[in-house]
Amino acid sequence: MQHKEVKKVVILGGGTAGWLSAGLIAAQPHLTHNAQITLIESPDIATIGVGEGTWPTMRQTLKTIGISESEFIQRCDASFKQGSRFDGWCDDEGDAHYYHPFSLPVAYQQLNIAPYWFANKDAVSFSHAVASQTYLCDHHKAPKNHLHSAYQGEANYGYHLDAGKFAMLLQQHCTTKLNVEHIVSHVECINSDEDGYISSLQTRDHGTIAGDLFIDCSGTHAKLLHQHYGIELIEQHDVLFNDRAVAVQVPYLNPQQEILSYTKATAQDAGWIWDIGLQSRRGLGMVYSSRFASSEDAKQALSQYIAKTQPGTVQNELTFREISFTPGYRRRFWYKNCLAIGMSAGFIEPLEASALVMVELGLNNLLANFPTHRAAMPTLAKRFDEQCHYRWQRIIEFLKLHYVLSKRTSPYWQAHKEANSIPLQLQENLALWQYQSPWLNDFDRAQEVFSAASYQYVLYGMKQLPQFPVLAMPTAIIEHFSANQQQAKRGLQQLPTNRELLNHIQQFGIQPI
């Protein structure tokens, strides 16, 4: 094995994953030992570009890269996201909904307050009882006001964004501010050395591009990790059935229409519909399983949803995009001197917007263990793979939770409840949670992708309550619940709506930190 220093990083593929990789690596030369960054993307291959939801982690990511929150919001048609709302997931009646907000339950750092809510479960939903943010979502409120500094707020928040515009902003910032070399050309050949490590990429128009570490951001094709090295996908069809989507962009009929403060996910007979509000339009899509529905079924369901939620929309002027995907993740994520970030590493489905956060988590994992020499790569790759496998498995279990708990009766939903489709650890936890509430000791890591709080929001939103005596509420617990209601009241009085704040930001920006 050659003992080579890592001096040049080559990223194959643009889009959000590629440019986030370039930005986070180039912005932290103290972690990457001043490695030179080159990004190569094809002039002809379009990115999927429908990943429009982020987690709150994106605030720190943008801050680290050096992009101002004002510029991001102004240029990416962005809005504020404070969580997800699930409509019709509980049963066929379709009237009930629940929230999975980004804010943790009140007093979460001190105690598990969930068991004390059970006494009042018929009076107030779990998320409304423990998270004031839920009330903000009810009223389309923003998580901050014009006095808050960039990336700061009253409530925890992420964003909804236009993925295409976001990639363009990242590209411009990386090439003009972070000295990232940008090459637009087809890669025709992948060259390896005698040890099987990638030595260079042969491009059609720019010759040979040598590198020491290669990051595969080439999407589902995974040109380096899969096509070159043969690392296959561990498919998850038997756990999560969705493998198709129909997406559409719907302009507002009223340009000052209120903007949702959450991603709305509405259950359908063979899947669900996402509804994301940006400044100028809504992004909608029907996610479904080809085993249970056709593309025409999905388009019809989506059209009916649009007609119901925005009457007057001229649907024959809309462009419906069909997307197919294979739910799964790579057997390995880092092999020799090549690692995968983004859809080349894996994709399950859009539920809970895990795609972009997995890009961020993968990059942070790399930067925390950035190789200075090739000799360090086998050990670092082993650690990287173990972390990635753990996270993908936990994501799959959490997404499956949403389906397993439903009482909907169509074949699609009933199939999700079959025991052989439910991961063993989720089965064990569900059995345990019949008698106690999810808590920190139920999970292996201090930093989980989805915390115990997330499981509580879904379980109790879906009315899956444990069987044990109702607990008496000490004064201190009553005060926590009361403090949450008071915080909600203040927020409703003091915070602007999403639309009001975004209009202000477009005109005046956000004061820097």
Side-chain angles (χ1 to χ4, degrees):
M1 178 184 292
Q2 298 180 26
H3 293 274
K4 288 184 62 174
E5 289 186 44
V6 176
K7 296 181 178 179
K8 185 171 183 179
V9 178
V10 177
I11 300 167
L12 178 60
T16 307
W19 287 110
L20 277 175
S21 299
L24 276 172
I25 295 171
Q28 300 174 89
H30 59 292
L31 297 178
T32 60
H33 311 280
N34 295 296
Q36 178 188 344
I37 314 300
T38 298
L39 186 147
I40 307 171
E41 64 178 332
S42 167
D44 300 330
I45 300 175
T47 58
I48 291 179
V50 296
E52 297 186 327
T54 81
W55 287 18
T57 50
M58 186 57 71
R59 284 151 57 198
Q60 183 59 51
T61 294
L62 293 173
K63 187 177 174 183
T64 298
I65 291 174
I67 295 175
S68 78
E69 190 172 34
S70 294
E71 183 180 20
F72 165 71
I73 289 173
Q74 290 165 351
R75 291 188 53 184
C76 298
D77 201 15
S79 62
F80 298 106
K81 174 181 177 178
Q82 299 186 67
S84 298
R85 192 178 101 168
F86 297 88
D87 287 34
W89 287 66
C90 292
D91 53 44
D92 290 334
E93 297 301 317
D95 298 327
H97 69 261
Y98 72 92
Y99 286 101
H100 175 197
F102 283 147
S103 293
L104 295 171
V106 63
Y108 185 79
Q109 305 299 339
Q110 305 164 42
L111 56 88
N112 184 0
I113 202 168
Y116 297 98
W117 161 75
F118 300 142
N120 294 320
K121 62 182 174 58
D122 295 327
V124 59
S125 75
F126 177 69
S127 61
H128 284 85
V130 304
S132 61
Q133 187 167 50
T134 313
Y135 292 93
L136 304 184
C137 291
D138 283 339
H139 296 276
H140 310 309
K141 291 289 187 176
K144 60 193 291 177
N145 60 39
H146 69 282
L147 297 176
H148 283 103
S149 300
Y151 300 120
Q152 304 299 313
E154 187 74 20
N156 199 14
Y157 67 92
Y159 306 99
H160 290 133
L161 55 84
D162 183 306
K165 293 179 179 179
F166 186 38
M168 290 177 62
L169 171 63
L170 289 168
Q171 174 188 324
Q172 182 182 38
H173 183 84
C174 289
T175 54
T176 61
K177 304 288 179 62
L178 297 176
N179 200 33
V180 173
E181 180 184 18
H182 182 204
I183 294 174
V184 180
S185 185
H186 289 287
V187 170
E188 298 186 318
C189 182
I190 300 165
N191 303 312
S192 298
D193 63 19
E194 62 274 15
D195 295 318
Y197 285 67
I198 298 174
S199 57
S200 63
L201 304 181
Q202 184 69 39
T203 68
R204 180 180 300 173
D205 310 300
H206 292 266
T208 300
I209 310 299
D212 305 304
L213 180 67
F214 291 82
I215 302 181
D216 190 342
C217 297
S218 60
T220 55
H221 298 290
K223 191 176 180 70
L224 302 182
L225 200 64
H226 174 57
Q227 294 185 15
H228 178 66
Y229 279 126
I231 307 298
E232 71 273 11
L233 204 67
I234 302 175
E235 296 188 13
Q236 297 297 312
H237 276 124
D238 56 338
V239 180
L240 291 160
F241 312 145
N242 292 338
D243 58 0
R244 300 285 189 277
V246 178
V248 64
Q249 298 178 359
V250 180
Y252 295 118
L253 297 181
N254 173 8
Q256 292 306 309
Q257 181 175 322
E258 290 294 354
I259 301 172
L260 299 180
S261 292
Y262 50 85
T263 296
K264 184 162 74 168
T266 303
Q268 303 292 310
D269 282 346
W272 59 276
I273 289 173
W274 77 74
D275 190 343
I276 286 174
L278 302 185
Q279 295 177 51
S280 66
R281 63 169 175 84
R282 293 158 67 198
L284 299 109
M286 170 75 182
V287 187
Y288 66 100
S289 168
S290 59
R291 286 169 51 193
F292 296 91
S294 67
S295 62
E296 287 306 312
D297 294 332
K299 287 179 185 177
Q300 183 178 3
L302 190 54
S303 294
Q304 290 173 349
Y305 178 86
I306 294 169
K308 180 179 178 180
T309 58
Q310 190 167 292
T313 300
V314 182
Q315 296 203 29
N316 60 12
E317 296 179 357
L318 302 177
T319 301
F320 291 82
R321 294 176 54 200
E322 295 189 38
I323 302 163
S324 63
F325 57 90
T326 301
Y329 56 90
R330 295 290 161 200
R331 178 174 53 82
R332 297 190 65 172
F333 301 91
W334 183 338
Y335 184 71
K336 295 193 179 288
N337 63 336
C338 172
L339 62 103
I341 295 290
M343 293 189 73
S344 57
F347 181 75
I348 303 299
E349 65 153 283
L351 190 67
E352 294 284 5
S354 60
L356 283 181
V357 79
M358 284 300 283
V359 171
E360 296 175 274
L361 290 171
L363 289 169
N364 289 335
N365 189 5
L366 168 64
L367 288 163
N369 300 278
F370 196 83
T372 57
H373 290 76
R374 178 184 289 186
M377 288 186 187
T379 298
L380 295 174
K382 182 179 178 181
R383 293 179 182 177
F384 187 87
D385 280 355
E386 192 274 336
Q387 180 78 286
C388 289
H389 274 278
Y390 180 85
R391 285 172 169 162
W392 278 110
Q393 289 160 9
R394 298 294 83 76
I395 285 174
I396 289 164
E397 289 169 13
F398 186 66
L399 298 190
K400 183 68 172 181
L401 178 74
H402 296 65
Y403 296 97
V404 170
L405 300 177
S406 179
K407 295 182 176 64
R408 294 182 67 95
T409 58
S410 69
Y412 168 87
W413 291 91
Q414 288 299 304
H416 272 292
K417 299 171 76 69
E418 294 175 1
N420 61 4
S421 76
I422 305 172
L424 180 59
Q425 183 162 330
L426 178 59
Q427 291 187 42
E428 293 174 349
N429 281 333
L430 285 171
L432 176 66
W433 293 334
Q434 292 182 49
Y435 305 101
Q436 64 189 55
S437 180
W439 195 232
L440 308 181
N441 53 303
D442 291 324
F443 304 95
D444 295 339
R445 309 286 172 99
Q447 294 181 323
E448 290 283 343
V449 182
F450 293 101
S451 68
S454 292
Y455 281 84
Q456 291 177 355
Y457 284 129
V458 176
L459 279 166
Y460 306 145
M462 295 287 283
K463 307 186 187 311
Q464 300 293 312
L465 306 181
Q467 304 169 28
F468 58 72
V470 173
L471 300 177
M473 280 198 282
T475 301
I477 298 297
I478 295 173
E479 289 175 351
H480 285 313
F481 283 121
S482 177
N484 182 68
Q485 297 302 310
Q486 292 302 313
Q487 185 176 353
K489 187 178 294 185
R490 287 193 301 272
L492 292 176
Q493 291 172 346
Q494 298 173 6
L495 291 170
T497 65
N498 244 343
R499 173 66 71 186
E500 289 169 343
L501 182 55
L502 292 167
N503 286 348
H504 178 91
I505 293 170
Q506 285 293 349
Q507 187 172 0
F508 301 107
I510 302 173
Q511 57 183 336
I513 299 173

